[in-house]
Amino acid sequence: MRIFVAIGILLCCSLITINTHAQDNMTRAGNLATSGKFTEAIQVYSEILSADANNTTARLGRGFTYSWNHEWDNATTDFNTVLQKEPNNMDAQKGLAYVALWSGDYKKAIQSFNNLIAKQPDNKEFYIARGQAQLNEGLLVEARQSFQKAEQLDPNDAEPKQLANAVRTKPTILDVDILGGVSSTDGKSKAGLRFIQVSSQVSKQLQVAAKYDNSLSMDNLGLITRNKTIPYYAASLFYKWSGQTATRVEGGFRNFSDAKANEASSESQFTLEQVLFLKNGKSLKAGAAIISPNIGQGAYLVFAGYHQPVSKKVTAGINYFYANRNISNTRENRFLADADFSLPKGNTINAGFYYGKSNSDIKILSGNIYGGFVRGYFAVSNSIGIHLGISAENNFVQNLFNVNAGFRFRLEK
């Protein structure tokens, strides 16, 4: 009898030790996942499941960690395995809904969160997630309604209100931007229409735009030599292939003319840019532009940039530009540092400064370039916003200064 009692005590102690060890591993896996060490966390969860395949908590933990690591198929398998045994498991249903959201299947995500909301109508998390899916699907009005419902459920949570306001800065089925301004070159000022752009978010993947740009710019040779602006006309499209990459293509032209010098010319420009969206809001971009004048010699521009969030409301970036104009063997390098600031109510500010150097066979086109700018967008309502901007540049020829203001008209769906 004493032997059986002793064996029983030993078994109990062993089970306690095993359970304690499993719990320690669960805690370790959770800590690894929350610190962003997804591969290590997945390995620990897998070890737990190797010892106990019925550990639902570990399988759910691994499923969410797979999701955060963009391993959508593995995550889906884990969540479906749980649902096979527990069809009403809300965590597994929620996991599948987030897989759809994070992998870019926004229509499926909307339907999944609709089902979850039907079961838990007071869960603000589901409204926020559905709103994010609707926002990415281009359903701006519905997204705002989802965020506002989440805000009603928890008025003390600032996130839903911030998301609802952020909808005001998203592309719509029709955006019209019109800016006028005052430009100065070495104290000689001109006022007039500076910029018009009409754009449309045709689908969740495709945005198209057409613009008229009459702003002062260093690539306008006529500005430097004749103190005048040269309008630039262009059309562009921006196509987001997936959640990780997008392409921008732009084609345009400008005309030069000088009646006094009896000169006339034009140049066309074709630009191709590729954007790569990385984890945690980071992004890389690179591209090139080819400039082809009807008279004279051609030119090209290459550029690259990197941006990453430094806080919830600030994203910083560094960019490099290299331009080569064959005429007079003119070459230019520029470095640009900028930051985007997200303000309350969907307002934004972009500020930056740049430094560059130009080298040319013509002495007057050689020297240093430096300047800075601040641009802001302030949403007045869901359909109207205000643009304000100021910029200044000092270069090897003269000083440039711009002040502009205008409106954006938005048509949401």
Side-chain angles (χ1 to χ4, degrees), residues 216-220 223-224 301-305 318-324 330-337 353-359 365 367-373 391-398 400:
L216 294 179
S217 173
M218 273 301 299
D219 63 355
N220 291 340
L223 164 68
I224 301 174
L301 166 72
V302 294
F303 55 90
I318 184 73
N319 303 273
Y320 169 73
F321 302 84
Y322 172 77
N324 185 307
T330 302
R331 303 168 309 282
E332 182 182 309
N333 293 277
R334 288 197 192 198
F335 291 92
L336 164 67
F353 63 91
Y354 55 89
Y355 174 80
K357 189 174 183 63
S358 178
N359 294 291
L365 295 181
N368 296 325
I369 307 163
Y370 55 90
F373 60 87
S391 63
E393 179 176 307
N394 182 284
N395 59 66
F396 42 84
V397 177
Q398 57 191 341
L400 311 178

Side-chain angles (χ1 to χ4, degrees), residues 257-263:
S257 64
D258 192 330
K260 293 182 179 180
N262 194 27
E263 293 179 356

Side-chain angles (χ1 to χ4, degrees), residues 17-283:
T17 301
I18 292 171
N19 289 335
T20 301
H21 180 67
Q23 186 59 46
D24 288 343
N25 280 341
M26 285 289 295
T27 301
R28 185 159 66 94
N31 291 336
L32 287 169
T34 54
S35 63
K37 298 178 180 179
F38 303 134
T39 302
E40 294 92 329
I42 290 169
Q43 183 177 351
V44 176
Y45 279 128
S46 297
E47 291 173 358
I48 297 171
L49 290 168
S50 294
D52 180 11
N54 295 318
N55 191 323
T56 299
T57 303
R59 194 167 296 279
L60 288 169
R62 189 175 70 173
F64 278 104
T65 308
Y66 274 137
S67 300
W68 299 329
N69 205 37
H70 295 182
E71 297 183 49
W72 315 123
D73 290 341
N74 289 332
T76 300
T77 298
D78 272 347
F79 293 134
N80 281 330
T81 299
V82 173
L83 289 173
Q84 287 174 1
K85 297 180 179 180
E86 304 176 28
N88 295 320
N89 189 296
M90 288 292 290
D91 287 326
Q93 294 176 24
K94 180 173 74 172
L96 290 175
Y98 274 115
V99 167
L101 173 63
W102 294 335
S103 66
D105 191 349
Y106 302 122
K107 289 183 179 179
K108 183 176 180 180
I110 292 170
Q111 183 59 52
S112 297
F113 283 110
N114 280 339
N115 294 336
L116 290 170
I117 288 170
K119 297 175 182 178
Q120 294 185 359
D122 295 330
N123 191 324
K124 70 172 182 179
E125 177 189 357
F126 297 155
Y127 289 98
I128 292 175
R130 185 181 69 177
Q132 291 171 333
Q134 292 165 332
L135 189 60
N136 282 285
E137 191 66 19
L139 305 174
L140 304 188
V141 175
E142 294 180 17
R144 184 181 291 107
Q145 291 171 348
S146 291
F147 296 141
Q148 289 172 341
K149 178 62 177 179
E151 183 183 358
Q152 292 173 5
L153 291 171
D154 187 0
N156 295 321
D157 187 352
E159 183 185 12
K161 186 174 183 179
Q162 291 172 353
L163 289 169
N165 288 327
V167 177
R168 293 176 172 180
T169 64
K170 297 297 180 181
T172 70
I173 57 172
L174 182 65
D175 285 331
V176 180
D177 297 281
I178 303 175
L179 286 83
V182 178
S183 305
S184 173
T185 58
D186 285 340
K188 297 179 181 179
S189 300
K190 289 185 177 182
L193 183 64
R194 291 296 178 225
F195 184 83
I196 301 176
Q197 177 170 279
V198 179
S199 61
S200 175
Q201 189 72 33
V202 179
S203 69
K204 67 179 181 181
Q205 293 176 296
L206 177 63
Q207 182 181 10
V208 298
K211 70 178 179 181
Y212 162 88
D213 189 347
N214 195 28
S215 59
L216 294 179
S217 173
M218 273 301 299
D219 63 355
N220 291 340
L221 187 59
L223 164 68
I224 301 174
T225 59
R226 305 181 184 92
N227 185 32
K228 68 176 185 178
T229 56
I230 303 171
Y232 175 63
Y233 305 87
S236 65
L237 63 85
F238 182 85
Y239 191 84
K240 197 167 184 179
W241 300 93
S242 66
Q244 285 74 49
T245 184
T247 300
R248 184 178 73 88
V249 178
E250 179 177 292
F253 71 94
R254 57 166 57 90
N255 290 313
F256 301 79
S257 64
D258 192 330
K260 293 182 179 180
N262 194 27
E263 293 179 356
S265 67
S266 66
E267 67 179 21
S268 59
Q269 179 171 318
F270 178 79
T271 304
L272 178 64
E273 177 182 313
Q274 189 68 28
V275 183
L276 180 64
F277 300 100
L278 308 175
K279 295 180 181 179
N280 302 320
K282 301 174 183 178
S283 65

Side-chain angles (χ1 to χ4, degrees), residues 341-373:
F341 302 87
S342 297
L343 306 179
K345 299 182 179 180
N347 302 327
T348 61
I349 290 179
N350 174 241
F353 63 91
Y354 55 89
Y355 174 80
K357 189 174 183 63
S358 178
N359 294 291
S360 176
D361 293 342
I362 300 177
K363 187 175 181 180
I364 193 175
L365 295 181
S366 299
N368 296 325
I369 307 163
Y370 55 90
F373 60 87

